[in-house]
Amino acid sequence: MIRAKHALWGACAVAALAAPAMAETLTIATVNNGDMITMQKLTKPFTDANPDIQLEWVQLEENILRERVTTDIATSGGQYDVMTIGTYEVPLWAAQEWLLPLGDLPAEYDADDLLPPVRDALSVDGTLYAVPFYAESAMVMYRTDLAEAAGVTIPDSPTWTDIKTAAEKMTNKDGEVYGICLRGKPGWGENMAFLTAMANSYGARWFDPEWKPQFDSAEWNEALTDYLALMTNYGPPGASSNGFNENLSLFQQGKCGIWIDATVAASFVTDPENSTVADKVGFAQFPNKEGVDNHGNWLWAWSLAIPATSDAPDAAKKFVAWATSKDYTNEVAAANGWRAAPPGTRKSLYDNAEYQGAAPFAAMTLTAIESANTQKSSVQDIPYTGGQFVAIPEFQGIGTAVGQQFAAALAGQMSGADALAAAQATTTREMARAGYPK
């Protein structure tokens, strides 16, 4: 009997050695934007090189993605092996030990090639906790043909007065051409991303050093008043429902004279296959108010991170290193041209003469990213970090609530003054409930 058992064990061992290793499945949660869809289409080189790794994709709209991955990681759900998250989440989640550190990526990954502002935003105490798929700041995109016809010039570093003058002269509502398109859809990452950057450029701040909300300040009043005037007088109808994607569509259709938004949009508005104005787009720095040395300090990166709950961390590290590598950038360029390369992450891309020749927006994008200061987003003293957001856990809820009030003002449901008063009251209440100052 003992001999038979040993024989049976030996046969099983031989069979196990002869059988191929079971493939690991990586479940990847990602936002459903163009660059991420491209990544999914171009994974064959990775899967060919790693036949023991299978990829399973969960693509979600941005707000739903944030909700799902936040819930999963906060409850240790373990549904995902790779998550697409932003600059807001990385330091907060790393502090909770929810993310695996990525300081041990292979030498050929060349982490020193990452643009310093982007690398710093995704690091805690010098260690990367996510790697950037693409990064962005914000800038002005405008129709050069409309500006010429209107007899206006938008300088490389415009003021808000320059923008207002140009928007007014470019507007032809009868012809369905609107002088300016800006985010109006409520959300901390939608209208409040833009409005926080705009407020920064007016010298405003969310909180003073004692964490007192500042929506009752002259700077916020002036910023919101000018935003509402621009959008009411020169913006498209229904602007309170327009976010990034809606304004992108309007601009590509030739219905916007000026669009101020994420630099990543530049490759889309200059894409001749999808944009009717691809050869008529100029670029400028995010505006500032006269006398205020601040161009918004917008900085964002959609990045790939590995939750600490992943049961395939080594395979996940292989994937995130590949998907954010120089080799992947070359794959995109070979498939779709250099203009489509994921922007804003690597110095080598901006040193590449082929990219510079194919991407007329490259220099302005680099200027915007390198000038972003997320450690001090306001010219006034502040107790927080973050550029177009405030890097505290409570900001998601507070930012969305304030965004709803500002969207209501844009829709004509309340005055700007009432929206600011409501924002002040809401933020004061929620910060007190959260225990600030800490």
Side-chain angles (χ1 to χ4, degrees):
M1 180 71 86
I2 294 174
R3 185 177 300 162
K5 185 181 291 187
H6 283 174
L8 180 62
W9 180 90
C12 291
V14 170
L17 289 171
M22 288 187 64
E24 288 186 287
T25 298
L26 294 181
T27 302
I28 304 166
T30 187
V31 67
N32 63 344
N33 64 25
D35 284 301
M36 296 302 187
I37 292 169
T38 296
M39 176 174 65
Q40 185 174 350
K41 292 177 179 177
L42 296 179
T43 54
K44 190 173 186 300
F46 177 81
T47 53
D48 285 351
N50 298 277
D52 57 333
I53 300 175
Q54 295 180 354
L55 306 180
E56 181 178 284
W57 297 85
V58 179
Q59 286 193 337
L60 301 167
E61 187 272 330
E62 181 174 330
N63 288 336
I64 297 173
L65 173 75
R66 285 194 173 116
E67 179 184 337
R68 295 267 183 91
V69 299
T70 300
T71 299
D72 185 73
I73 203 161
T75 60
S76 299
Q79 292 186 61
Y80 310 114
D81 299 291
V82 176
M83 293 177 166
T84 306
I85 62 176
T87 354
Y88 169 74
E89 291 91 355
V90 173
L92 296 175
W93 292 6
Q96 295 287 339
E97 299 184 349
W98 291 347
L99 302 177
L100 293 182
L102 299 176
D104 58 347
L105 295 176
E108 59 267 25
Y109 181 76
D110 193 7
D112 289 338
D113 186 46
L114 299 175
L115 292 171
V118 177
R119 182 175 178 175
D120 291 347
L122 301 176
S123 299
V124 176
D125 296 330
T127 297
L128 278 168
Y129 280 84
V131 283
F133 185 74
Y134 72 78
E136 65 187 36
S137 184
M139 66 183 176
V140 178
M141 295 160 279
Y142 66 94
R143 289 273 300 279
T144 54
D145 57 329
L146 293 182
E148 183 178 353
V152 295
T153 299
I154 296 180
D156 287 346
S157 183
T159 65
W160 284 105
T161 299
D162 294 325
I163 296 299
K164 176 183 179 297
T165 299
E168 180 180 8
K169 293 187 176 180
M170 289 184 186
T171 298
N172 177 7
K173 291 188 177 181
D174 291 339
E176 293 189 341
V177 175
Y178 306 97
I180 193 162
C181 294
L182 304 172
R183 297 189 189 191
K185 180 187 291 186
W188 72 269
E190 280 282 8
N191 66 338
M192 289 314 299
F194 175 79
L195 279 165
T196 298
M198 184 175 181
N200 289 341
S201 74
Y202 273 67
R205 55 187 175 176
W206 266 77
F207 302 102
D208 71 8
E210 283 71 48
W211 291 100
K212 179 184 177 184
Q214 297 293 292
F215 292 107
D216 56 359
S217 68
E219 294 87 358
W220 262 108
N221 180 67
E222 189 173 7
L224 185 64
T225 298
D226 286 357
Y227 165 81
L228 295 174
L230 281 168
M231 294 298 285
T232 301
N233 295 328
Y234 316 121
S240 61
S241 298
N242 291 347
F244 175 89
N245 288 327
E246 292 80 9
N247 285 328
L248 170 61
S249 179
L250 286 170
F251 196 95
Q252 288 179 322
Q253 294 170 30
K255 295 186 177 182
C256 296
I258 299 169
W259 182 28
I260 307 173
D261 212 299
T263 54
V264 72
S267 65
F268 303 136
V269 298
T270 57
D271 178 1
E273 293 187 11
N274 294 298
S275 175
T276 63
V277 297
D279 60 344
K280 304 178 180 68
V281 186
F283 304 96
Q285 209 171 355
F286 193 94
N288 68 304
K289 185 180 181 295
E290 291 88 342
V292 179
D293 185 16
N294 189 313
H295 291 275
N297 286 318
W298 180 308
L299 186 67
W300 185 260
W302 276 121
S303 304
L304 302 179
I306 303 169
T309 51
S310 171
D311 58 5
D314 292 336
K317 283 185 181 180
K318 282 186 181 180
F319 177 77
V320 302
W322 170 83
T324 62
S325 67
K326 297 175 188 178
D327 287 344
Y328 176 78
T329 299
N330 292 333
E331 289 285 338
V332 175
N336 300 324
W338 276 105
R339 185 186 49 77
T345 63
R346 289 186 173 271
K347 292 179 281 188
S348 56
L349 180 65
Y350 291 90
D351 292 337
N352 186 317
E354 290 182 276
Y355 181 66
Q356 292 171 9
F361 46 82
M364 190 58 70
T365 297
L366 185 60
T367 295
I369 290 174
E370 290 186 330
S371 64
N373 182 357
T374 60
Q375 299 305 302
K376 193 177 189 305
S377 58
S378 174
V379 295
Q380 299 189 65
D381 290 339
I382 53 175
Y384 55 87
T385 60
Q388 75 282 17
F389 58 85
V390 177
I392 57 173
E394 295 79 13
F395 184 74
Q396 290 189 74
I398 293 172
T400 296
V402 172
Q404 289 167 344
Q405 289 150 357
F406 290 171
L410 180 58
Q413 297 168 3
M414 66 170 67
S415 68
D418 286 345
L420 287 167
Q424 181 74 8
T426 296
T427 307
T428 299
R429 181 182 65 249
E430 294 304 318
M431 291 296 282
R433 185 176 295 170
Y436 287 80
K438 293 185 174 179

